Amino acid sequence: MKKLTIISTIILGMAVASCDSYLDINQDPNSPTEENMTPSIMLPAAEMGLAATYGNLLRIPGGYFSQHYAHMFGTSNYVDYSQFTMSPVRSSSAYSQLNRVALKNLQTIKNLAEKNEEWGTVLAATTLRCFTLQALVDCYGSVPYSEALDISNSSPHYDEGSVVYEGILKELDEALAKANANDVVATNFLYKGQNAANWIKFANALKLKILSRESGVASVDAQIAAIISEGNLPTEDVAYTSCWSNETGQMNPYFSEEFSTSFGSTQINVTANLALVGTMQLKDANGDVVYEDPRLAAFFDPNSSGEFTGGVSGTNFSTTDNYKSAYWCRPKMAYNSPVYLITVAETEFFIAEYFARKNDVASAAAHYAAAVQASFASAGVGGADEYIARNPYDQGAYKKVLGIAKWVALAGVNNFESWCELRRLRYPAFGTVTGAQLYNIDTDAYAPQLYQPGTLYTPIQVDGNIGNNHLIERWPFASSSSSSNGNAPKFENADYLKPIFWAQQ
């Protein structure tokens, strides 16, 4: 495995090669020795710490747990993920990177900016910090928060996710209250050379996501309505785009992990999952394609025969000539592919869901259509109207319509967020066909025609803690934290199936 090497190299490479005055990430920003340490030196490195982890170490398991991805033959790198398994050791890299490189640096930046009343930079650091904390809650359920900033406390208390959500909403509100659109923001990669206007929109979109996540367990519709009414939300996807280059350590982190040979690896691990392919490409009884979602070709490359084929979760297939790598479809990635934080499509889906809860059918349908159109636009393809005609908005089944459409839309841009929304909306739901029926590992018999479009299925050799017709609901606490923190909660095997607080409906 090469994850830690890649992440460290990406962060250092971007910080040094792209802007040679940036922080050397090997120096602890919380104990700087240089008198001239500034937010402009530190923020780009903190951003890359977030992008390198969120865009890779969260994306990969998110893709397998969402059944966007299946595993190729002959390697074992992510077979555990495809079986819905996550171990404390496996989760440690992401946890450590997000805490050490992102959260600690962002808090230092925020503190420095507050001293100088640089409110645009305070907002930027706060928004990224709250984004990171939400991602951690959505993985683990509870994380250190209220005591996390006390450097004298080596065993900070783990706060329940609902407490963290309440705290980060307050942090965002406080930062937004002080920032103006024309405020200067320290040097950064996300909105290069721009003032705080787009950071305000990003913060509002993040608030909308946080509130929407907890809308099933808390009375937050008034707050959501206020954000929608104000309308100051991103009109373009919030994503790291122009900061990548075709150099070792400076590529999109997922591309560097899975596709680049810069680190000497030639392993091919990831293929499209049959669940996704079978939903985006519909066939008749004769096996002829009657509809193909144009985004499928934007999300995945066809196989060597020019066809789209999907693997089955829970195995890495056989090493027979039938199902070697040329048979499968790889995610379409490039060295400069964006790392998406929040897309316009996601925001529109959240707004559609709000109006659906209010039984405002016309508004819900309009924002559902806007979400689909934004997804197609991000993918750079046409055909949104046909998708909407084939999958019309249905108020009586709005969670199903929105859930499946969001699951498809996120497949090519943000697999981690898809796993979060699957756990919350519960769509796509599990069908009646199992992974073992779709592929028999003993006879090498592959039966994709049995797949039911718009459903999930139990993986072959699914993790025993998960069982049939269940998603993995949370990650076990990272061993890098629990082994040294006496206040880390005990994680029981049953906790794998315990929903995060916002999904406990």
Side-chain angles (χ1 to χ4, degrees), residues 140-160:
Y140 295 100
S142 60
V143 294
Y145 177 68
S146 59
E147 298 178 359
L149 299 180
D150 182 0
I151 60 175
S152 66
N153 185 355
S154 61
S155 296
H157 170 72
Y158 275 61
D159 293 282
E160 174 55 38

Side-chain angles (χ1 to χ4, degrees), residues 444-460:
D444 207 28
Y446 176 50
Q449 72 278 4
L450 298 180
Y451 171 72
Q452 302 161 326
T455 65
L456 305 178
Y457 58 88
T458 298
I460 303 169

Side-chain angles (χ1 to χ4, degrees), residues 291-322:
Y291 172 71
E292 183 173 287
D293 188 321
R295 292 172 294 179
L296 183 57
F299 295 166
F300 293 90
D301 289 318
N303 68 11
S304 59
S305 300
E307 299 176 338
F308 288 99
T309 51
V312 180
S313 297
T315 182
N316 60 354
F317 277 76
S318 71
T319 55
T320 67
D321 290 336
N322 292 333

Side-chain angles (χ1 to χ4, degrees), residues 67-184:
Q67 293 194 330
H68 291 154
Y69 297 158
H71 209 62
M72 289 281 197
F73 85 96
T75 70
S76 60
N77 277 3
Y78 308 123
V79 172
D80 53 345
Y81 292 163
S82 76
Q83 296 169 347
F84 291 176
T85 295
M86 174 61 80
S87 72
V89 173
R90 288 282 258 174
S91 78
S92 287
S93 295
Y95 183 88
S96 298
Q97 292 290 338
L98 288 175
N99 275 278
R100 184 177 70 251
V101 182
L103 285 180
K104 290 184 179 180
N105 291 6
L106 289 167
Q107 185 61 42
T108 301
I109 294 164
K110 180 182 176 182
N111 292 343
L112 289 171
E114 283 178 336
K115 288 181 181 179
N116 297 322
E117 298 186 349
E118 298 171 5
W119 303 122
T121 300
V122 169
L123 176 62
T126 299
T127 303
L128 293 174
R129 168 181 153 79
C130 292
F131 183 94
T132 304
L133 281 163
Q134 187 199 2
L136 285 168
V137 168
D138 294 348
C139 284
Y140 295 100
S142 60
V143 294
Y145 177 68
S146 59
E147 298 178 359
L149 299 180
D150 182 0
I151 60 175
S152 66
N153 185 355
S154 61
S155 296
H157 170 72
Y158 275 61
D159 293 282
E160 174 55 38
S162 58
V163 174
V164 181
Y165 263 49
E166 181 181 356
I168 60 179
L169 282 170
K170 183 179 179 181
E171 289 188 41
L172 287 168
D173 284 338
E174 290 174 349
L176 282 165
K178 294 178 180 179
N180 294 305
N182 293 324
D183 285 344
V184 174

